[in-house]
């Protein structure tokens, strides 16, 4: 934050009421007030909106709010999170690949994979740069009509180790 010398204002404090933000003053020099705002590791996943409050010593404008906005993602994610098998016809299996992306440095292991639909099976295909490749296979002979299901993947991570993806397909009218 920089204050023009003509305004003759001084910063009294920089703070937040959020339990997920940490504000640290780095230095103050010639009207410039440098500080750092960090998200704590306990921040919930999803959209995050908070504010940092700068209080001034003068009474004319006692404070200003600086919005802090972020979208916090888990270390693990399935890409894509929604899988389409397209139009289901014939009896040949249809395959789709999904990557279990690992954004952290910690290795992951899949403990369990389950499918809510008997026509869809999942196998681990291999690992690449810490990510795990999954192959989803649809057996068209085991489904009649449109396909709607969920694949659950459970890993060895206690906090963000359970992931789900939706699967669907459209059957041709008979």
């Amino acid at each position: 934050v920089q204050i023009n010398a003509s305004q003759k204002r001084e910063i009294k404090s920089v703070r937040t009421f959020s339990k997920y933000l940490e504000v640290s003053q780095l230095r103050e020099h010639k009207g410039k007030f440098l500080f750092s705002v960090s998200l704590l590791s306990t921040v919930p996943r999803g959209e995050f909106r908070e504010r940092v409050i700068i209080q001034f010593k003068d009474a004319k404008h006692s404070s200003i709010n600086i919005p802090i906005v972020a979208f916090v993602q888990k270390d693990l994610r399935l890409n894509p999170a929604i899988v389409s098998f397209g139009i289901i016809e014939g009896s040949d299996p249809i395959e789709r690949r999904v990557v279990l992306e690992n954004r952290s440095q910690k290795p992951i292991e899949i403990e369990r994979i389950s499918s809510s639909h008997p026509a869809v099976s999942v196998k681990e295909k291999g690992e690449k740069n810490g990510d795990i490749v999954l192959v989803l296979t649809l057996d068209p002979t085991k489904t009649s009509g449109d396909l709607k299901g969920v694949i659950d993947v459970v890993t060895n991570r206690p906090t963000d180790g359970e992931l789900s993806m939706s699967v669907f397909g459209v059957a041709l009218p008979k």
Side-chain angles (χ1 to χ4, degrees):
V1 176
Q2 184 171 349
I3 300 172
N4 294 332
S6 63
Q7 292 181 340
K8 295 183 181 176
R9 249 189 228 166
E10 290 184 57
I11 292 176
K12 181 179 178 180
S13 67
V14 178
R15 62 188 174 125
T16 183
F17 292 107
S18 173
K19 62 183 177 181
Y20 303 114
L21 290 178
E22 180 179 77
V23 178
S24 307
Q25 180 179 345
L26 300 177
R27 67 177 189 253
E28 188 174 3
H29 180 70
K30 295 183 182 180
K32 291 182 182 179
F33 192 86
L34 300 173
F35 60 94
S36 169
V37 179
S38 303
L39 290 172
L40 299 177
S41 62
T42 55
V43 67
R45 307 298 188 229
E47 187 174 310
F48 176 79
R49 292 180 179 271
E50 272 296 347
R51 64 189 172 137
V52 170
I53 303 161
I54 299 177
Q55 286 189 306
F56 298 102
K57 290 183 180 177
D58 65 329
K60 187 177 180 183
H61 299 286
S62 59
S63 66
I64 60 170
N65 294 318
I66 298 177
I68 306 295
V69 180
F71 188 80
V72 181
Q73 296 182 333
K74 295 181 178 185
D75 287 341
L76 303 179
R77 82 171 184 172
L78 293 166
N79 187 14
I82 300 172
V83 177
S84 171
F85 286 101
I87 296 174
I88 303 169
E89 60 182 332
S91 59
D92 293 334
I94 303 169
E95 286 190 353
R96 298 290 184 260
R97 292 188 185 279
V98 173
V99 178
L100 173 54
E101 296 177 346
N102 182 6
R103 298 176 181 200
S104 75
Q105 299 301 316
K106 301 175 200 168
I108 55 170
E109 292 178 20
I110 293 178
E111 294 180 348
R112 185 176 71 252
I113 301 174
S114 60
S115 172
S116 68
H117 199 287
V120 180
S121 61
V122 184
K123 291 184 181 174
E124 286 184 52
K125 189 66 173 182
E127 188 175 326
K128 183 178 179 183
N129 299 326
D131 298 340
I132 297 176
V133 178
L134 304 174
V135 176
L136 283 64
T137 305
L138 169 66
D139 181 349
T141 63
K142 292 183 179 178
T143 187
S144 60
D146 292 343
L147 168 77
K148 293 179 185 170
V150 175
I151 304 295
D152 292 314
V153 179
V154 178
T155 72
N156 60 337
R157 297 281 178 81
T159 56
D160 61 354
E162 293 186 26
L163 301 106
S164 296
M165 73 181 103
S166 298
V167 293
F168 65 94
V170 178
L172 291 174
K174 294 181 180 184

